[in-house]
Amino acid sequence: MPKATFLNLAQEKKDLITDALIKHFATKPYHLVDISDVAKECRVAKGSMYQYFENKKDMYFYTIEVAYERFLQLLTKMDMVHVNILDYYENSLESVWNAMKDLRYEYMLLEMAFFSHDSPFKDEINEKFLKQSRDFLVEIIKYNQKQGFIRDDIDPLLIGIFLEGASFYMKKFIIEKALNENNTTTFELDIDYFKDAISQFIKLLKEGIAKK
Amino acid sequence: MPKATFLNLAQEKKDLITDALIKHFATKPYHLVDISDVAKECRVAKGSMYQYFENKKDMYFYTIEVAYERFLQLLTKMDMVHVNILDYYENSLESVWNAMKDLRYEYMLLEMAFFSHDSPFKDEINEKFLKQSRDFLVEIIKYNQKQGFIRDDIDPLLIGIFLEGASFYMKKFIIEKALNENNTTTFELDIDYFKDAISQFIKLLKEGIAKK
Amino acid sequence: MPKATFLNLAQEKKDLITDALIKHFATKPYHLVDISDVAKECRVAKGSMYQYFENKKDMYFYTIEVAYERFLQLLTKMDMVHVNILDYYENSLESVWNAMKDLRYEYMLLEMAFFSHDSPFKDEINEKFLKQSRDFLVEIIKYNQKQGFIRDDIDPLLIGIFLEGASFYMKKFIIEKALNENNTTTFELDIDYFKDAISQFIKLLKEGIAKK
Amino acid sequence: MPKATFLNLAQEKKDLITDALIKHFATKPYHLVDISDVAKECRVAKGSMYQYFENKKDMYFYTIEVAYERFLQLLTKMDMVHVNILDYYENSLESVWNAMKDLRYEYMLLEMAFFSHDSPFKDEINEKFLKQSRDFLVEIIKYNQKQGFIRDDIDPLLIGIFLEGASFYMKKFIIEKALNENNTTTFELDIDYFKDAISQFIKLLKEGIAKK
DNA sequence: GATGAATGAGCTTTCATTCAT
DNA sequence: CATGAATGAAAGCTCATTCAT
């Protein structure tokens, strides 16, 4: 938890630091994040970072928490629990796209924190965030099965894993394509290509890859 | 590339060192792999490791290369290119399972090297291995589409990503389950549970998640 | 020497700060005393402490000076110089005990400042306080010898050292016993045990440890 | 506990490092001992010190242990347990003096470690060394009381404290006198002054300070 | 070639002190 | 004057790499 010193800072400065932390922890593994780099980027003394936070781990967890909150805010806006998950993927193209645009680093950070091996705090993070997140997904799947939106002859947990994997790789592919095509920070990508890709993805999800 | 000193070693010793390297790089992120640990495990002096290899990175790349070869050997045995990919997944349960058992560390290493963020050499690895691997998969998919084994109205690249993601998460789930259920190194898991899970997974892959 | 800013403070606030400083320097070695802890305890900004004093060392020396004055005040009340030192130890049990109760932190601070190695200013302190304190004790001893209160066939300096050492360890033993038996700040100890211990101690002092 | 790397070193080098550590920990409080200073003095890289020991605390405890052993070796030579404690002090002048000459830093280190406030490991040290040392002294006193060497109407614990305090201050006085009179490392002091001081000290111990 | 001790750059963290408000 | 955020030197510790034997 950040110290009071941090919380008392002007919102603008807090955001500057938070965003720098998210960016750094999102693009490098924990061990390669150099606090003095982050400090330099914020034009703040290295020591100040330790006035704001207990230690590096504190910065990391704070960073994850903020990223997670920002992400959840987006999801809760959609009342995920009571939505047809297929419709959700199908209709929310634009908003997902925008989320990925706006919360790109947050997204990358969370993926890394949850799925990469490079954190010395994997178990803690898993305990704190991941379990609820997979459980949450499984809940949605169960609800969708009960409503008859999706097939109910498959273990909801397996569907969850299937969904997570396929969609994570899909998103990663899209993000990397976007990042490669423009090294700037603008993160522009042909929206049409993206729409088309997502709609094909949905088809695969719904209908499978088998020839009919 | 290992130095001549290494290549001249007795095959037995070479294997010992290679396996230790694979195991270490497979279970820890690059930065947490301590060369002196590896050396100790091989009962070899730390300095010797530097007689055999240029540096840590050299060891890492050598390790990936071996793991990759071992894996490809398994795939080529099956004439992957000319197989029905659905049949492949459906019928090769046992052999996949055994592969995961025998080449577990190789498998984990490759997943980590290719998909985790914690390597300082991500781009190099991507350039050297991943592209060919994904290209390889896409070739198979194209062949499968041409033969009429799978639908051809979807971009083969997207199918590839879809397959990679869903199956990676699936395998990861299975492996972790197996690792959790027995802390020993024996890596045993109820084969029936595994068979059932895979068959459900294949159904999803083939038919999609939509209610019929 | 405290700055004018400090001296101009309301007496109440000055005492608050002085007492907090004494307590902190008495219970922790110099290097572990954190000025911001002291400031927090006084509900004063850390920066203010530096408006009051030049630096940490200034605070330390001021603190010792006050503790020393408070102690001397107690001694002079008794006209130490003209007292029979044996009577003094024997009869002043209660008052010594009370002094140790009321000026416990002062006492601990002085012991630490004078005899512990952990001050970077040992020599300075020795120069400033200890010499006069030992000289003072030696004066008393000489007076006692002249009056025939104690033996005069021993170098008064050696008697002084003997007295200092034996009584310091004795007091330390008693204080630690008191502190261990109650973690509270009340500093209560069975007065009877204490009286008995002191009277045995006096016997040893007077008569020595030899069998008669 | 030092690492194998240290134990494998040439005895000469081990001694060099051990002695440097003893000297530094004996003359400065724990927090002021800078490992890179010690390393520099041994003409060894800072990092090497950490090849030899786990960490600074490890160095400290190793240092105390060696000093303690060296000291005990001296005491056991004298069969302390079965000696008349007064004779011991009276007759062993020369050997005590030589011990103080040879093991000066060891002596200072132990005093500091056992009695100063500045160690973050006070309790651990107390547990490991001090308890046995005071218990040992009390055992000797009880034995002396039983043999009729010293008075038995006083609590042996109190006699122990009395003895510890008086003799510690005495030794300290002597050592500091010796150190002040010659800044060199030769540690010479007029042996006659010393003998005289000790014999007066013994008198006080035996007969007390009271006028006969 | 094998060994393992030696090296030092590089990172995290602390805290007395300064300084802008 | 009071405040408390900002500073940066300094210390502990790690580990890939080198090097003398």
Side-chain angles (χ1 to χ4, degrees):
Chain A
M1 233 180 36
K3 296 186 189 171
T5 320
F6 180 70
L7 301 173
N8 293 340
L9 250 40
Q11 190 60 40
E12 208 168 314
K13 192 165 189 179
K14 265 194 291 196
D15 289 346
L16 179 73
I17 290 166
T18 304
D19 290 341
L21 280 171
I22 289 179
K23 191 177 120 197
H24 279 257
F25 280 120
T27 51
K28 271 169 296 195
Y30 184 82
H31 293 94
L32 290 191
V33 172
D34 183 344
I35 297 309
S36 68
D37 278 353
V38 181
K40 218 171 283 163
E41 190 169 316
C42 303
R43 265 175 234 156
V44 149
K46 197 185 355 174
S48 297
M49 295 300 292
Y50 287 86
Q51 299 275 41
Y52 303 151
F53 301 93
E54 293 295 344
N55 50 34
K56 191 177 175 181
K57 181 179 167 184
D58 189 23
M59 299 178 207
Y60 186 50
F61 273 77
Y62 164 73
T63 295
I64 294 177
E65 217 145 323
V66 170
Y68 195 62
E69 266 165 37
R70 288 182 183 172
F71 229 80
L72 280 192
Q73 231 167 346
L74 213 108
L75 293 181
T76 47
K77 269 189 203 147
M78 302 187 189
D79 188 16
M80 273 294 283
V81 187
H82 300 102
V83 92
N84 178 328
I85 200 168
L86 288 168
D87 286 351
Y88 161 69
Y89 276 114
E90 197 149 29
N91 298 328
S92 61
L93 293 191
E94 299 272 345
S95 66
V96 166
W97 177 246
N98 284 325
M100 266 158 52
K101 234 171 114 175
D102 296 340
L103 302 181
R104 180 172 32 141
Y105 287 128
E106 283 81 351
Y107 176 77
M108 287 163 67
L109 170 65
L110 293 174
E111 287 294 349
M112 207 160 136
F114 293 170
F115 303 118
S116 150
H117 295 256
D118 68 356
S119 158
F121 316 114
K122 243 212 132 185
D123 293 338
E124 249 174 290
I125 289 170
N126 199 53
E127 196 65 35
K128 249 186 129 170
F129 299 99
L130 190 54
K131 263 191 191 155
Q132 22 168 323
S133 127
R134 179 164 286 175
D135 289 351
F136 181 65
L137 180 59
V138 169
E139 278 320 299
I140 296 175
I141 289 167
K142 279 182 185 164
Y143 172 83
N144 271 262
Q145 289 180 321
K146 213 181 292 169
Q147 298 292 323
F149 296 155
I150 62 173
R151 65 193 299 176
D152 55 5
D153 56 338
I154 306 272
D155 178 359
L157 175 57
L158 289 183
I159 296 183
I161 290 158
F162 187 90
L163 256 172
E164 267 181 6
S167 65
F168 171 40
Y169 270 52
M170 186 69 200
K171 282 182 264 173
K172 205 167 114 164
F173 169 71
I174 299 265
I175 286 181
E176 269 160 18
K177 212 164 163 38
L179 287 175
N180 285 341
E181 271 170 24
N182 53 95
N183 294 331
T184 65
T185 46
T186 43
F187 195 61
E188 297 298 340
L189 179 67
D190 183 3
I191 183 82
D192 289 333
Y193 177 83
F194 170 73
K195 276 189 180 177
D196 191 47
I198 293 279
S199 96
Q200 291 195 50
F201 170 76
I202 299 289
K203 256 193 202 154
L204 282 177
L205 218 53
K206 261 186 174 166
E207 305 166 7
I209 65 172
K211 183 90 178 180
K212 256 152 297 218
Chain B
M1 228 180 42
K3 295 186 188 171
T5 325
F6 179 70
L7 301 173
N8 293 338
L9 250 40
Q11 190 60 40
E12 207 168 315
K13 193 166 187 182
K14 265 194 292 195
D15 288 347
L16 181 72
I17 291 167
T18 305
D19 289 342
L21 282 170
I22 289 179
K23 189 177 121 196
H24 280 258
F25 280 121
T27 50
K28 274 169 295 197
Y30 184 82
H31 292 93
L32 293 190
V33 171
D34 187 338
I35 296 308
S36 69
D37 279 353
V38 180
K40 215 171 286 162
E41 191 168 316
C42 304
R43 270 176 228 157
V44 150
K46 202 194 330 186
S48 300
M49 296 298 290
Y50 285 85
Q51 302 273 36
Y52 303 151
F53 301 93
E54 293 294 345
N55 50 34
K56 190 177 177 181
K57 181 180 166 184
D58 189 22
M59 301 177 207
Y60 186 52
F61 273 78
Y62 164 73
T63 295
I64 295 177
E65 217 146 325
V66 171
Y68 194 63
E69 269 164 34
R70 289 182 183 173
F71 226 80
L72 282 191
Q73 231 167 345
L74 210 108
L75 294 180
T76 48
K77 267 191 206 147
M78 304 187 188
D79 188 15
M80 272 297 283
V81 187
H82 299 103
V83 92
N84 177 330
I85 200 168
L86 287 169
D87 287 351
Y88 161 68
Y89 277 114
E90 197 150 27
N91 299 327
S92 60
L93 293 190
E94 300 272 345
S95 66
V96 166
W97 177 247
N98 286 324
M100 265 158 56
K101 238 171 113 176
D102 295 341
L103 302 180
R104 181 172 34 143
Y105 288 130
E106 284 80 352
Y107 176 76
M108 287 162 68
L109 170 65
L110 294 173
E111 288 294 351
M112 214 161 129
F114 294 169
F115 302 118
S116 151
H117 294 255
D118 66 359
S119 157
F121 316 115
K122 240 213 134 186
D123 294 339
E124 251 174 288
I125 289 170
N126 200 51
E127 197 63 38
K128 253 188 125 168
F129 299 99
L130 190 54
K131 266 191 189 154
Q132 21 168 325
S133 128
R134 180 164 286 174
D135 289 352
F136 181 65
L137 180 59
V138 169
E139 278 319 300
I140 295 176
I141 290 167
K142 279 182 183 162
Y143 172 82
N144 271 263
Q145 288 180 321
K146 214 182 292 167
Q147 297 293 322
F149 297 155
I150 61 174
R151 65 194 299 177
D152 55 5
D153 56 336
I154 306 273
D155 178 358
L157 176 57
L158 289 183
I159 295 183
I161 291 157
F162 188 89
L163 257 172
E164 267 181 5
S167 65
F168 172 40
Y169 270 53
M170 187 67 200
K171 281 181 265 172
K172 203 167 117 166
F173 170 71
I174 299 265
I175 287 181
E176 270 161 18
K177 214 165 164 29
L179 288 176
N180 284 341
E181 272 171 24
N182 53 95
N183 294 332
T184 67
T185 46
T186 43
F187 195 61
E188 299 297 338
L189 179 66
D190 183 3
I191 185 81
D192 288 333
Y193 178 83
F194 171 73
K195 276 188 181 176
D196 190 49
I198 293 279
S199 98
Q200 290 195 52
F201 170 75
I202 299 292
K203 254 193 202 154
L204 283 178
L205 217 54
K206 261 186 174 164
E207 305 166 8
I209 65 173
K211 185 90 178 177
K212 257 151 294 213
Chain C
M1 231 181 37
K3 297 184 187 172
T5 326
F6 179 69
L7 302 172
N8 293 337
L9 251 39
Q11 190 61 40
E12 207 169 315
K13 192 166 187 181
K14 265 194 291 196
D15 288 345
L16 180 73
I17 290 168
T18 304
D19 289 341
L21 282 171
I22 288 178
K23 189 177 121 196
H24 280 258
F25 281 120
T27 51
K28 273 170 297 198
Y30 184 82
H31 293 95
L32 292 189
V33 171
D34 187 338
I35 297 308
S36 70
D37 279 354
V38 181
K40 215 172 284 162
E41 191 168 316
C42 305
R43 267 177 230 155
V44 151
K46 201 194 330 185
S48 299
M49 295 299 290
Y50 285 85
Q51 301 274 32
Y52 303 151
F53 300 93
E54 291 295 345
N55 50 33
K56 191 177 175 180
K57 181 181 166 185
D58 189 21
M59 300 177 207
Y60 185 53
F61 273 78
Y62 163 73
T63 294
I64 294 176
E65 217 146 326
V66 170
Y68 195 62
E69 269 164 35
R70 288 182 184 175
F71 227 80
L72 282 192
Q73 231 169 345
L74 210 107
L75 293 180
T76 49
K77 268 189 204 146
M78 304 187 188
D79 188 15
M80 272 295 284
V81 186
H82 301 101
V83 92
N84 177 329
I85 200 168
L86 287 170
D87 286 352
Y88 160 68
Y89 278 115
E90 197 150 25
N91 300 327
S92 61
L93 292 190
E94 298 273 346
S95 67
V96 166
W97 177 247
N98 285 324
M100 263 159 54
K101 236 171 115 175
D102 295 341
L103 301 181
R104 179 171 34 139
Y105 287 129
E106 283 80 353
Y107 176 77
M108 287 162 67
L109 170 65
L110 293 174
E111 287 296 350
M112 215 162 128
F114 292 170
F115 303 118
S116 151
H117 294 255
D118 67 357
S119 158
F121 315 115
K122 240 214 134 186
D123 294 339
E124 250 173 289
I125 287 170
N126 201 52
E127 197 63 38
K128 252 186 127 169
F129 299 99
L130 190 54
K131 266 191 190 152
Q132 22 170 323
S133 129
R134 179 163 288 174
D135 290 352
F136 181 65
L137 180 59
V138 169
E139 278 320 300
I140 295 173
I141 289 166
K142 279 182 185 163
Y143 172 81
N144 273 262
Q145 289 179 321
K146 212 180 296 166
Q147 298 292 324
F149 298 155
I150 62 175
R151 65 195 296 177
D152 55 5
D153 57 337
I154 306 273
D155 178 0
L157 176 57
L158 289 182
I159 296 183
I161 289 157
F162 188 89
L163 256 173
E164 267 182 5
S167 67
F168 171 39
Y169 270 51
M170 187 68 201
K171 281 183 263 171
K172 205 168 113 164
F173 170 71
I174 299 264
I175 287 182
E176 268 160 21
K177 214 166 161 35
L179 287 175
N180 284 341
E181 271 170 24
N182 54 95
N183 293 332
T184 65
T185 46
T186 43
F187 195 63
E188 298 297 339
L189 178 65
D190 183 3
I191 184 81
D192 287 333
Y193 177 84
F194 170 74
K195 276 188 181 177
D196 190 48
I198 294 279
S199 97
Q200 292 195 51
F201 170 76
I202 299 291
K203 256 194 202 151
L204 283 177
L205 216 53
K206 263 186 173 163
E207 307 165 7
I209 64 174
K211 185 92 177 176
K212 257 152 296 217
Chain D
M1 232 181 37
K3 296 187 189 171
T5 319
F6 180 70
L7 301 173
N8 294 339
L9 250 40
Q11 190 59 40
E12 207 168 315
K13 192 164 189 181
K14 265 194 290 195
D15 289 346
L16 179 74
I17 290 166
T18 304
D19 290 341
L21 281 171
I22 289 179
K23 190 178 120 197
H24 279 257
F25 280 121
T27 51
K28 272 169 294 194
Y30 184 81
H31 291 94
L32 288 192
V33 171
D34 183 344
I35 297 309
S36 67
D37 279 353
V38 181
K40 218 171 282 162
E41 191 169 316
C42 303
R43 266 177 233 155
V44 148
K46 193 183 4 168
S48 297
M49 295 299 292
Y50 287 87
Q51 299 275 40
Y52 303 150
F53 301 93
E54 292 295 343
N55 49 35
K56 191 176 174 181
K57 181 181 166 184
D58 189 23
M59 300 177 206
Y60 186 51
F61 273 78
Y62 163 73
T63 295
I64 294 176
E65 218 145 323
V66 171
Y68 195 62
E69 267 164 36
R70 290 182 182 173
F71 229 79
L72 281 193
Q73 231 168 346
L74 213 106
L75 293 181
T76 48
K77 270 188 205 147
M78 305 188 187
D79 187 16
M80 274 296 283
V81 186
H82 299 103
V83 93
N84 178 328
I85 202 167
L86 287 169
D87 285 351
Y88 161 69
Y89 277 114
E90 198 150 25
N91 300 327
S92 61
L93 293 190
E94 298 272 345
S95 67
V96 166
W97 175 249
N98 285 325
M100 265 158 53
K101 233 170 116 175
D102 296 340
L103 302 181
R104 179 171 35 140
Y105 286 128
E106 284 79 353
Y107 176 77
M108 287 162 68
L109 170 65
L110 293 174
E111 288 295 349
M112 206 160 139
F114 294 170
F115 303 117
S116 150
H117 296 255
D118 67 355
S119 160
F121 315 115
K122 242 211 135 185
D123 293 338
E124 249 173 289
I125 289 170
N126 199 54
E127 197 63 38
K128 252 186 127 169
F129 300 98
L130 190 53
K131 264 189 190 155
Q132 20 168 326
S133 127
R134 179 164 287 175
D135 290 351
F136 182 65
L137 179 60
V138 169
E139 277 320 299
I140 295 174
I141 290 166
K142 280 181 184 163
Y143 172 83
N144 272 264
Q145 289 180 319
K146 214 180 294 168
Q147 298 293 323
F149 298 156
I150 61 174
R151 65 193 298 176
D152 55 5
D153 57 336
I154 306 272
D155 178 359
L157 176 58
L158 289 182
I159 296 184
I161 290 158
F162 187 89
L163 257 172
E164 266 182 5
S167 66
F168 171 41
Y169 269 50
M170 187 67 199
K171 282 182 265 172
K172 206 167 114 161
F173 169 71
I174 300 265
I175 286 181
E176 269 160 18
K177 213 163 162 34
L179 287 175
N180 283 342
E181 271 171 23
N182 52 96
N183 293 332
T184 66
T185 45
T186 43
F187 195 62
E188 298 298 339
L189 180 64
D190 182 3
I191 184 80
D192 290 332
Y193 177 83
F194 170 74
K195 275 188 181 177
D196 190 48
I198 292 280
S199 96
Q200 291 196 50
F201 169 76
I202 299 290
K203 254 193 202 152
L204 283 178
L205 217 53
K206 262 186 175 163
E207 307 164 6
I209 64 174
K211 184 88 177 179
K212 258 152 293 217

